[in-house]
Amino acid sequence: MLHRLEFLDLQAFILVAEQGSFHEAAQRLHLSQPALSRRIQKLEELLEVELLERTTRRTRLTPIGTDFLPRARRMIEEYESSILGIRELATHQKGTVTIACIPTAAFYFLPSVIRGFSEAWPGIRIRILDVSAKEGLERVISGEADFGINMFSAQSPEVSFTPLLKDPFVLALRSDHPLVDKPRIEWSDLEQVRLITVSRDSGNRILLDNTLSAEGIRLNSFYEVQHLSTSLGLVESGLGVAILPRMTMPGADHDTLCARELPKPRIQRTIGLVRSNSHSISSTAQLFIDMLLERWGNAECT
């Protein structure tokens, strides 16, 4: 069956899945829609499964299609890598490193490492999947990502975790908030203020709730958002305060926002490197990991 699997059929399936539209995918591939439909149909007949659900408005992946998508991407990447040539790969002149990274860590950890890595190996492409902790873990386990940067709490027996940095939680508030001038913040100071939190299924929220609950501390969680960046926006607008990882805060020179240290119990998350226990790391990805570990090691966010 494998010898009948065509590169263009896989490419067509990936584009339709990513675009959610036969029309847009056909334009990208410079094919007519009937020709694109025939390629998808041929792929589905070869695999003897239905990969896509077609409606009048959108095209969605079936559960099997969702599972097959990262496999198809890997097949394309492996094909492209083989075309680039064994010599280029062996000498790291060409290749791709895919990293599944929680958004708050993407701009903290990666820019300096990417800059140094690109100077050393300019032909290697970097693909960053800035996704949630749960999704990032899934991308590493499935093999879509070479490795991930994630929270320690988002772990699985299918991966190994190497700590990189301890990131303490801080109180985020406007620089004109009354609590800014207090010499020391106490939990009792926060009982009457409106707290802006992220959703309950967030790894950061679970860590915060579990720590406070164990100490019998109850706060006024008034607003709930999906993303840490949104909570910072509401804090900046003067709607309340937020308890966030220090990594999410802007620099000390920000005009409006500032951070204050929280009282005990100390709340912190550990950010680290996540690798699959079942997928081997490519030599190219290992080069990036080595540079990442050399740059960061096990530090504390300041």
Side-chain angles (χ1 to χ4, degrees):
M1 181 180 74
L2 289 177
H3 69 278
R4 295 167 52 201
L5 194 61
E6 293 189 18
F7 173 86
L8 289 177
D9 296 344
L10 289 173
Q11 190 179 45
F13 164 68
I14 292 170
L15 271 175
V16 173
E18 291 177 343
Q19 301 295 321
S21 164
F22 272 77
H23 175 71
E24 293 175 14
Q27 286 186 324
R28 293 278 299 273
L29 290 168
H30 305 290
L31 291 174
S32 66
Q33 283 188 234
L36 177 59
S37 295
R38 285 194 296 271
R39 286 202 170 275
I40 298 297
Q41 183 179 3
K42 186 173 69 170
L43 180 60
E44 290 179 325
E45 289 175 352
L46 178 64
L47 298 176
E48 298 181 348
V49 295
E50 185 179 6
L51 298 171
L52 298 164
E53 292 179 355
R54 302 153 176 85
T55 66
T56 55
R57 294 185 177 180
R58 299 293 291 175
T59 299
R60 296 184 301 178
L61 289 166
T62 64
I64 292 177
T66 300
D67 182 69
F68 181 65
L69 181 58
R71 301 167 188 256
R73 286 193 178 117
R74 286 202 302 274
M75 283 189 278
I76 291 291
E77 289 177 0
E78 288 170 3
Y79 177 84
E80 290 177 340
S81 294
S82 66
I83 296 301
L84 287 171
I86 298 301
R87 182 178 178 278
E88 288 184 330
L89 288 177
T91 56
H92 307 297
Q93 295 178 37
K94 299 290 183 182
T96 301
V97 176
T98 301
I99 308 165
C101 186
I102 55 175
T104 52
F107 58 80
Y108 190 96
F109 284 100
L110 295 181
S112 61
V113 181
I114 289 175
R115 189 176 297 110
F117 187 85
S118 295
E119 289 173 358
W121 296 283
I124 298 177
R125 297 176 296 172
I126 306 296
R127 180 173 174 237
I128 301 171
L129 309 176
D130 47 339
V131 293
S132 68
K134 180 176 181 292
E135 189 175 353
L137 199 63
E138 292 170 352
R139 299 288 182 94
V140 172
I141 292 171
S142 71
E144 182 179 349
D146 293 302
F147 62 92
I149 298 175
N150 213 319
M151 296 171 54
F152 178 72
S153 59
Q155 295 311 305
S156 159
E158 299 176 77
V159 301
S160 60
F161 184 85
T162 303
L164 290 174
L165 177 144
K166 294 186 183 302
D167 187 18
F169 281 56
V170 296
L171 180 67
L173 66 173
R174 281 179 58 97
S175 54
D176 58 359
H177 194 282
L179 290 177
V180 168
D181 296 325
K182 284 208 65 174
R184 177 182 171 86
I185 302 292
E186 303 292 346
W187 288 114
S188 57
D189 296 326
L190 304 180
E191 291 176 355
Q192 302 304 317
V193 300
R194 291 185 172 183
L195 186 66
I196 302 162
T197 62
V198 289
S199 61
R200 294 182 184 276
D201 59 352
S202 160
N204 292 305
R205 174 68 182 275
I206 292 170
L207 177 59
L208 175 63
D209 286 352
N210 288 346
T211 304
L212 296 184
S213 176
E215 298 293 327
I217 299 169
R218 297 177 61 88
L219 301 181
N220 179 24
S221 299
F222 199 84
Y223 301 105
E224 184 174 300
V225 298
Q226 291 296 312
H227 303 289
L228 293 172
S229 57
T230 306
S231 64
L232 277 178
L234 296 185
V235 171
E236 190 169 4
S237 298
L239 293 175
V241 302
I243 298 175
L244 304 171
R246 186 186 298 277
M247 189 183 293
T248 66
M249 293 296 298
D253 57 349
H254 194 276
D255 293 335
T256 309
L257 295 172
C258 65
R260 291 294 310 275
E261 184 177 340
L262 289 167
K264 294 182 178 180
R266 184 174 175 83
I267 308 170
Q268 66 180 15
R269 62 180 187 172
T270 301
I271 305 296
L273 182 72
V274 177
R275 285 173 277 198
S276 169
N277 292 330
S278 58
H279 300 291
S280 60
I281 297 286
S282 70
S283 60
T284 304
Q286 189 61 51
L287 288 172
F288 193 98
I289 288 173
D290 291 343
M291 186 171 287
L292 183 70
L293 292 173
E294 182 181 354
R295 170 66 179 83
W296 291 103
N298 193 5
E300 179 165 323
C301 183
T302 57

